[in-house]
């Protein structure tokens, strides 16, 4: 052809992870730094897919990297690639974090359920209130008209005895007597019904 020789582009080759793990197992911090740079990104990506929370994912990634530093001597090359071993470790940590969070949420839910004091029964309270009001109405109907008017004006409308006397055009002493007799009859009527 025209004398140009094309050589294939050199392939970039990453660090030998097995060698870095072996050196890390011996305490080589430089080897661990290179191992960290090579695997931290994929570890974070995997953990983030499981946890979906960036802050927790970073924390779990750091835990995995610390575990990698501590357990590098346990790596067995015949059982698989370094990256698969590290990602398996990361996946387990991430799943453990999800399970721990779920267990904590379940415990909180159960504790809240156990400590929950049931609210008062609104329906029962409403029925009881209606029954009491009906009993009061029935007992008020048992009073004479003058007693009922005096009691109603004083206790339901908030008038004083002199104001009731003025409204009814009745002497104050008579109003007081009607009120006293009416209240006694109401007490007896309501007491008999309970």
């Amino acid at each position: 052809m025209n004398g140009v020789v094309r050589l294939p582009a050199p392939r970039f080759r990453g660090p030998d992870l097995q060698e870095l793990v072996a050196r890390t197992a011996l305490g080589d911090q430089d080897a661990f730094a290179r191992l960290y740079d090579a695997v931290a990104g994929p570890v974070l990506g995997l953990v983030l897919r499981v946890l979906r929370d960036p802050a927790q994912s970073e924390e779990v990634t750091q835990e995995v990297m610390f575990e990698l530093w501590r357990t590098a001597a346990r790596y067995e090359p015949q059982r698989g690639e370094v990256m698969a071993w590290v990602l398996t470790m990361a996946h387990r940590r991430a799943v453990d974090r999800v399970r721990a969070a779920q267990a904590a949420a379940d415990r909180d839910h159960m504790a809240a359920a156990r400590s929950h004091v049931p609210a008062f029964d609104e329906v029962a309270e409403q029925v009881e209130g209606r029954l009491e009001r009906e009993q009061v109405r029935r007992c008020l109907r048992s009073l004479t008209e003058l007693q009922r008017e005096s009691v109603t004006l004083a206790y339901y409308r908030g008038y004083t005895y002199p104001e009731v006397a003025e409204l009814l055009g009745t002497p104050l002493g008579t109003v007081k007597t009607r009120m006293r007799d009416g209240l006694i009859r109401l007490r007896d009527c309501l007491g008999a019904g309970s």
Side-chain angles (χ1 to χ4, degrees):
M1 312 205 193
N2 50 8
V4 176
V5 177
R6 296 191 185 257
L7 297 173
R11 290 181 57 185
F12 174 75
R13 210 182 120 144
D16 180 354
L17 297 181
Q18 284 187 9
E19 179 185 334
L20 293 176
V21 169
R23 288 176 42 203
T24 298
L26 299 173
D28 184 335
Q29 292 180 5
D30 290 331
F32 179 70
R34 291 181 56 214
L35 181 61
Y36 186 101
D37 291 341
V39 301
V43 167
L44 179 61
L46 173 70
V47 172
L48 189 55
R49 281 194 303 275
V50 174
L51 296 179
R52 298 187 186 114
D53 177 341
Q56 281 196 42
S57 297
E58 290 173 5
E59 187 177 308
V60 170
T61 297
Q62 290 303 315
E63 291 172 7
V64 170
M65 300 313 293
F66 179 70
E67 184 177 353
L68 180 57
W69 169 257
R70 286 185 321 102
T71 63
R74 292 187 198 155
Y75 171 67
E76 299 173 17
Q78 67 276 11
R79 296 190 71 194
E81 296 293 321
V82 170
M83 190 61 80
W85 178 62
V86 173
L87 292 178
T88 300
M89 200 182 312
H91 186 262
R92 285 184 185 143
R93 282 275 179 160
V95 169
D96 287 348
R97 178 66 64 100
V98 170
R99 287 179 180 153
Q102 184 60 50
D106 291 346
R107 279 192 306 274
D108 291 346
H109 179 71
M110 290 301 292
R114 275 188 246 116
S115 68
H116 175 68
V117 176
F120 63 93
D121 187 348
E122 289 182 38
V123 174
E125 188 171 289
Q126 288 174 359
V127 169
E128 187 176 313
R130 285 185 191 141
L131 290 174
E132 288 173 356
R133 285 190 299 275
E134 183 54 41
Q135 185 177 9
V136 169
R137 284 188 197 110
R138 184 177 49 78
C139 290
L140 278 171
R141 286 191 299 267
S142 73
L143 301 178
T144 67
E145 188 173 335
L146 296 174
Q147 289 172 333
R148 184 173 46 253
E149 284 178 335
S150 298
V151 169
T152 301
L153 288 172
Y155 288 93
Y156 291 104
R157 303 246 173 114
Y159 290 106
T160 63
Y161 287 5
E163 290 171 332
V164 171
E166 187 178 325
L167 285 169
L168 296 177
T170 309
L172 181 59
T174 305
V175 166
K176 288 182 176 180
T177 301
R178 287 183 195 160
M179 294 279 287
R180 187 191 73 229
D181 293 344
L183 291 173
I184 289 170
R185 285 182 71 180
L186 277 175
R187 180 195 67 203
D188 292 343
C189 178
L190 291 171
S194 58

